[in-house]
Amino acid sequence: MKNEIASPAFDNTILYNPGLFDLDNIFQSLYHPETIETKPQPVKAKEQAEILFITSFPPRECGIATYSNDLINALNTKFNKSFSIKVCALESGKSQHKYPDIVKYIFDTSVVAEYKKLAYKINNDKLIKIVVIQHEFGFYYGQERAFLRFLYALTKPVVIVFHTVLPQPDMLLKSRIKVISETSESIVVMTLNSKDILIKEYGVPAEKISVIAHGTHLVPRLNKNSLKLKYGLKDRKVLTTFGLLSAGKGIETTLKALPAIVKYNPEVMFLVLGKTHPEVVKTEGEKYRDMLEQKVIKLGLQDNVKFINTYLELPVLLEYLQLTDIYLFTANDPNQAVSGTFVYAMSCGCPIISTPIPHAKELLTKETGIIIDFKDSTNLTNGVIRLLGNDKLRREISKNALQNIVPTAWENSAIAHANLFASISGDRISLHYNYPPIKLDHLKQMTTRTGIIQFSRINQPDLRSGYTLDDNARALVAICMYYELTGNTKSIEDIKKYLGFIRFCQQPKGDFLNYVDGDLNFTAQNNTVNLDDSNGRAIWALGYVTSLKKLLPDEIVETARTMIEKALPNLSSVHSTRAMAFIMKGLYYLHGVSASDKNIELIKTLADRMVQMYRHESGKNWEWFEGYLTYANSTMPEAMVYAWLLTGQTIYKDIALSSFKFLLSQTFTEKGIEVISNKNWLIKGQESDQYGEQPIDVAYTIMTLSTFYDVFTEEEYRSKMETAFNWFLGNNHLHQIIYNPSTGGCHDGLEKTQVNLNQGAESTVSYLMARLTVEKYKNQMSGVFFNRQTSA
């Protein structure tokens, strides 16, 4: 798929033709499709609701075509079993394009009669439930009256997406937008500024407007120097702009600034990416490009400017942006509401210098970029020299820009659109999240020859953070689950690696240390922190390995079993609730392949201890083992289930059921799951904080729900398992993805207003354990899974 961002080639100041726009006559010339004899199309019982996008569409080269294609791809990836999408492709004149199968209609907007025909087709298509119109004034230039009549003729709910919202409208434009608003169920704009203009200057009701930012692509954050080498830009400082070329791009502003920039930074290369806009070529040929090229020669900048006159494939475009040191946006139209090029650059971590279009003023602060005036070459020069001379500042701006732009990822845009569609469709659309393919890429990237690194900066492993027993124990469980599911023998080496790290952490007396630095030295933190929970996790992971005795090589299973035996003398003295729960889980797995009365007695000892804790703390409105809820809460009810299964002691089952019911009442709402905040734990008798949710607690909840569903076969557990997993996919209070499908990693947390962008070991492994758990139930889930595409 080819990708470029640009606005349609027309002058935004010429928006309508008054001679063709007679508002008084609109109401007298509406279509009356009921007068045309036709046979409605029957609807098959199981066919999906259909959403029709009326838009320009590839292979037509147009910014809105690219936008619509990206949005539709994201919607299909996340929700293609909730509804289907078809396209009505806009053309101006006879079509010369060969469209893909998703295009249901081709609409020649230059022919008046086509508006009436299209309205009739849509109204009589029983599958179509919603019509989404990507609106730009130039699409209907000369046929404004026919377009409004078309809107009035439609009997299906209409969503209008405004790509341009002009301030200070005259009465005619204001009346026209009022008609569009009145005929629409909902209006989508891409900036708060556009919403504000519609409300204050056009009188559009605020409740009708949704702000859904222009989408951006998630990128895996490739190495900048490697990319420069790939594209022949080694040792160059790269300035970049891109988009379909037209005079509105203001490229000459940068060319005028370059001589002074090159004086201080002779290694600078300015890349102008993108071919000339096809509509511009039709009217004036390559006049603008020729002028720019002559200017480069006149200024002696041949070694510092490169025009790449092609319509770039998306992966290539994103790589160019990732190697860019500074992105320059110099468009000279103050009424340009949004820019796809601008946000694509932000999503690739580019520090940006921009002219003050509304989109830039909304997104850029001194922490995220630099704003200059239109045609201001002097301040452009100063800004570039300042940024190129301060690597630390560029890195800081890049990090801040990424944090600001991540909510606009196409995946999040798809969630926002899907929620909007569902809200206006009544009961005709019910949303079910598709489950992503199982992907190990980030797990592999975080793993060295030693084990899995603790933290990452965004998605880049931070070896300075060292390793922990906790993370490697969880990674061992996850990779064993993956091997059990797929039988991929490449996983054996990873199992050995994580198991080897646990063995490295085990001390002569059988206990385990937790913290290891990047040079494989045990740190002083092991002496200041209670390590019971870490020891418990190690027993859980080792026990899980032994449970795969029939699948794994004997040497691996025997190593795990021997390590448990060495640790056993220390376990009866553990009193930490979570540590006891993890130990009970590990011993349960071990007992399945190596039954032992000694282990049963240890499980009973620990379970009885938990019974006493439960009886001491539980009471009215608080059925729990402690006077607080913190982290890894669900492991305790799960451990009590395992104790009951091994011993038959009914009290264990009763407490497992009552405590888990209580926990679910504290973490599930009508909207989904909200696990206990890591900001302030939930104390008995107090209210909990809403925010600070961690992937690990969602994952543990899913795993416990799986155990309860397998044992008690109650549908509530399966249903909540699906609800909980959807938290990773965007069903959370921010309606943003926590799992990153670009990297295969998982973001570190969900805060009040943002997602923590780092993708450390704990969160990534937690997601993977949750994803592997729900895979067992894919035929029972109402959400639909893709065919598994495993990545070793």
Side-chain angles (χ1 to χ4, degrees):
M1 187 270 294
K2 294 184 177 180
N3 203 303
E4 190 94 37
I5 306 293
S7 298
F10 62 93
D11 186 346
N12 274 337
T13 63
I14 305 174
L15 299 171
Y16 48 86
N17 185 334
L20 297 174
F21 186 89
D22 184 353
L23 192 63
D24 293 333
N25 289 334
I26 290 175
F27 298 94
Q28 302 175 22
S29 56
L30 300 181
Y31 299 140
H32 299 283
E34 66 274 11
T35 63
I36 304 174
E37 294 184 7
T38 185
K39 184 177 181 180
Q41 301 174 16
V43 179
K44 297 179 182 178
K46 293 185 178 181
E47 286 183 316
Q48 289 179 309
E50 192 172 281
I51 299 172
L52 182 70
F53 275 62
I54 300 179
T55 178
S56 57
F57 200 72
R60 181 174 175 179
E61 295 173 352
C62 162
I64 293 177
T66 298
Y67 169 92
S68 294
N69 190 52
D70 287 340
L71 174 57
I72 290 169
N73 284 341
L75 283 164
N76 281 332
T77 297
K78 292 195 74 70
F79 298 107
N80 73 337
K81 299 304 179 184
S82 302
F83 47 76
S84 66
I85 295 176
K86 293 294 182 181
V87 171
C88 171
L90 299 179
E91 291 282 359
S92 181
K94 189 175 181 180
S95 171
Q96 301 296 320
H97 301 115
K98 185 176 181 180
Y99 286 105
D101 292 341
I102 195 173
V103 173
K104 190 172 190 176
Y105 306 116
I106 298 176
F107 178 24
D108 184 353
T109 59
S110 67
V111 180
V112 174
E114 292 300 309
Y115 291 81
K116 182 175 182 179
K117 291 179 182 178
L118 179 61
Y120 173 71
K121 289 177 182 177
I122 292 172
N123 290 340
N124 284 273
D125 189 329
K126 302 301 183 183
L127 289 177
I128 296 174
K129 304 303 179 186
I130 297 174
V131 179
V132 180
I133 300 176
Q134 302 294 335
H135 181 275
E136 185 60 271
F137 294 103
F139 284 153
Y140 307 102
Y141 179 68
Q143 300 295 349
E144 294 88 350
R145 200 174 149 199
F147 175 66
L148 293 183
R149 290 161 57 190
F150 166 74
L151 289 179
Y152 268 107
L154 290 176
T155 59
K156 307 294 176 74
V158 173
V159 176
I160 290 280
V161 182
F162 279 125
H163 288 256
T164 295
V165 177
L166 288 173
Q168 302 175 340
D170 60 21
M171 289 303 298
L172 191 56
L173 179 57
K174 186 180 294 186
S175 298
R176 180 181 175 207
I177 298 302
K178 182 179 180 181
V179 171
I180 293 175
S181 171
E182 288 175 349
T183 57
S184 303
E185 188 75 20
S186 181
I187 292 172
V188 173
V189 293
M190 299 178 200
T191 66
L192 293 171
N193 179 71
S194 293
K195 178 180 180 179
D196 194 54
I197 292 172
L198 285 178
I199 294 170
K200 293 180 179 178
E201 301 188 37
Y202 290 89
V204 177
E207 61 272 14
K208 183 171 276 193
I209 305 171
S210 296
V211 179
I212 305 178
H214 191 299
T216 57
H217 292 280
L218 296 170
V219 297
R221 302 283 291 162
L222 302 174
N223 181 272
K224 187 184 292 284
N225 290 330
S226 298
L227 288 173
K228 287 184 177 181
L229 185 63
K230 176 179 178 179
Y231 288 99
L233 295 165
K234 182 182 179 183
D235 299 327
R236 304 302 292 261
K237 295 292 187 182
V238 179
L239 315 177
T240 301
T241 193
F242 87 95
L244 293 171
L245 200 60
S246 65
K249 294 290 184 182
I251 307 298
E252 59 273 23
T253 300
T254 301
L255 295 184
K256 185 177 178 181
L258 272 179
I261 294 171
V262 170
K263 180 179 178 180
Y264 285 93
N265 301 274
E267 73 278 18
V268 156
M269 173 61 76
F270 177 42
L271 301 179
V272 183
L273 309 178
K275 64 190 295 186
T276 303
H277 199 296
E279 298 301 318
V280 172
V281 173
K282 287 180 183 178
T283 58
E284 61 180 53
E286 293 287 2
K287 178 181 176 181
Y288 181 63
R289 183 182 295 275
D290 291 343
M291 181 274 291
L292 294 175
E293 291 177 346
Q294 288 301 314
K295 194 172 187 69
V296 168
I297 295 171
K298 183 178 179 180
L299 294 170
L301 296 171
Q302 294 95 319
D303 293 333
N304 301 98
V305 179
K306 185 176 182 180
F307 292 91
I308 300 178
N309 185 8
T310 186
Y311 198 69
L312 297 175
E313 298 283 349
L314 178 62
V316 175
L317 171 61
L318 295 178
E319 288 188 346
Y320 269 115
L321 291 176
Q322 287 180 82
L323 65 78
T324 295
D325 293 292
I326 304 173
Y327 184 81
L328 304 177
F329 182 83
T330 53
N332 51 32
D333 180 5
N335 293 320
Q336 183 175 345
V338 295
S339 167
T341 68
F342 175 88
V343 292
Y344 274 31
M346 282 190 76
S347 73
C348 290
C350 297
I352 293 176
I353 299 176
S354 174
T355 49
I357 66 167
H359 204 181
K361 290 193 288 185
E362 218 164 273
L363 285 175
L364 292 186
T365 65
K366 63 181 181 180
E367 287 80 25
T368 57
I370 296 173
I371 293 181
I372 61 171
D373 205 353
F374 297 103
K375 302 180 180 180
D376 186 354
S377 296
T378 300
N379 279 317
L380 176 62
T381 300
N382 295 336
V384 169
I385 292 173
R386 177 186 168 213
L387 289 178
L388 290 182
N390 192 331
D391 292 347
K392 182 180 179 181
L393 177 61
R394 288 207 315 278
R395 287 194 298 270
E396 192 65 23
I397 288 176
S398 175
K399 183 183 73 174
N400 294 336
L402 280 173
Q403 184 68 69
N404 277 16
I405 205 66
V406 157
T408 70
W410 281 117
E411 290 79 1
N412 293 329
S413 179
I415 293 167
H417 280 88
N419 284 331
L420 175 63
F421 299 156
S423 70
I424 68 177
S425 72
D427 60 356
R428 289 169 290 187
I429 294 176
S430 179
L431 296 184
H432 303 292
Y433 288 78
N434 293 337
Y435 288 9
I438 297 168
K439 187 174 182 179
L440 302 186
D441 296 43
H442 192 56
L443 182 77
K444 299 282 191 180
Q445 183 177 352
M446 291 289 291
T447 300
T448 67
R449 291 178 296 176
T450 299
I452 190 165
I453 297 170
Q454 183 176 193
F455 297 139
S456 73
R457 288 176 290 175
I458 311 295
N459 70 317
Q460 298 302 308
D462 184 3
L463 186 57
R464 296 173 303 175
S465 67
Y467 307 86
T468 66
L469 172 66
D470 288 335
D471 291 329
N472 281 273
R474 284 186 287 258
L476 179 59
V477 172
I479 202 66
C480 282
M481 292 172 69
Y482 178 79
Y483 179 67
E484 186 179 11
L485 174 69
T486 67
N488 189 329
T489 56
K490 293 181 180 179
S491 302
I492 297 294
E493 290 305 311
D494 295 312
I495 291 171
K496 290 180 178 178
K497 189 178 298 182
Y498 301 132
L499 182 63
F501 185 87
I502 296 175
R503 183 167 54 185
F504 172 75
C505 290
Q506 190 168 33
Q507 302 303 291
K509 293 183 179 180
D511 61 319
F512 299 86
L513 297 182
N514 186 38
Y515 301 101
V516 179
D517 66 21
D519 295 321
L520 303 186
N521 300 307
F522 291 109
T523 71
Q525 193 173 0
N526 290 294
N527 302 318
T528 60
V529 176
N530 188 306
L531 300 180
D532 282 354
D533 286 5
S534 300
N535 278 254
R537 289 187 192 94
I539 300 302
W540 165 46
L542 295 171
Y544 193 82
V545 171
T546 66
S547 73
L548 302 183
K549 183 177 181 179
K550 294 182 179 179
L551 297 176
L552 292 173
D554 291 342
E555 62 176 297
I556 290 177
V557 175
E558 184 58 24
T559 298
R561 190 195 64 77
T562 302
M563 292 168 69
I564 294 177
E565 291 293 334
K566 186 176 180 180
L568 279 175
N570 305 308
L571 302 182
S572 61
S573 61
V574 171
H575 285 77
S576 164
T577 319
R578 283 155 193 78
M580 291 191 292
F582 282 119
I583 291 168
M584 290 160 64
K585 288 177 64 174
L587 294 179
Y588 171 82
Y589 288 127
L590 174 64
H591 189 80
V593 295
S594 181
S596 165
D597 291 340
K598 180 176 63 175
N599 291 345
I600 290 291
E601 286 304 312
L602 177 54
I603 287 176
K604 289 177 65 177
T605 296
L606 299 177
D608 288 342
R609 201 170 286 163
M610 291 182 68
V611 168
Q612 293 305 312
M613 297 176 74
Y614 179 85
R615 286 173 172 167
H616 181 266
E617 293 292 346
S618 65
K620 186 178 180 181
N621 301 324
W622 190 267
E623 300 180 69
W624 197 243
F625 305 88
E626 301 163 315
Y628 43 80
L629 288 170
T630 58
Y631 62 93
N633 298 299
S634 66
T635 58
M636 288 175 268
E638 185 182 14
M640 296 304 285
V641 169
Y642 289 140
W644 167 63
L645 290 174
L646 286 183
T647 68
Q649 296 288 327
T650 306
I651 186 63
Y652 300 158
K653 180 185 76 169
D654 293 343
I655 290 177
L657 288 168
S658 62
S659 61
F660 196 42
K661 181 179 180 180
F662 169 73
L663 178 62
L664 295 178
S665 74
Q666 300 299 308
T667 53
F668 279 84
T669 69
E670 291 182 358
K671 296 180 180 179
I673 187 173
E674 294 179 4
V675 293
I676 304 303
S677 169
N678 71 336
K679 303 298 183 186
N680 290 296
W681 305 127
L682 174 58
I683 309 299
K684 182 164 55 175
Q686 299 181 12
E687 295 291 326
S688 68
D689 285 354
Q690 266 187 305
Y691 310 110
E693 300 172 61
Q694 301 295 295
I696 190 169
D697 285 308
V698 180
Y700 281 152
T701 302
I702 290 168
M703 297 173 81
T704 300
L705 285 164
S706 172
T707 297
F708 272 68
Y709 180 65
D710 289 345
V711 173
F712 301 109
T713 65
E714 291 187 14
E715 173 60 20
E716 177 192 5
Y717 299 132
R718 188 213 58 77
S719 177
K720 281 185 163 61
M721 204 188 318
E722 180 180 9
T723 298
F725 189 74
N726 287 344
W727 180 89
F728 289 102
L729 307 181
N731 187 23
N732 50 59
H733 77 266
L734 289 182
H735 303 295
Q736 293 182 27
I737 55 171
I738 309 301
Y739 169 69
N740 187 316
S742 172
T743 63
C746 181
H747 297 300
D748 278 354
L750 180 67
E751 307 301 337
K752 183 176 181 178
T753 60
Q754 65 185 27
V755 172
N756 184 330
L757 296 188
N758 295 327
Q759 299 167 44
E762 178 184 289
S763 55
T764 294
V765 172
S766 295
Y767 167 80
L768 185 57
M769 289 190 297
R771 177 64 183 86
L772 291 163
T773 297
V774 298
E775 177 73 4
K776 295 189 299 182
Y777 309 97
K778 64 179 180 180
N779 293 325
Q780 300 174 47
M781 297 288 194
S782 58
V784 179
F785 292 71
F786 291 132
N787 291 330
R788 186 169 68 249
Q789 300 173 22
T790 56
S791 173

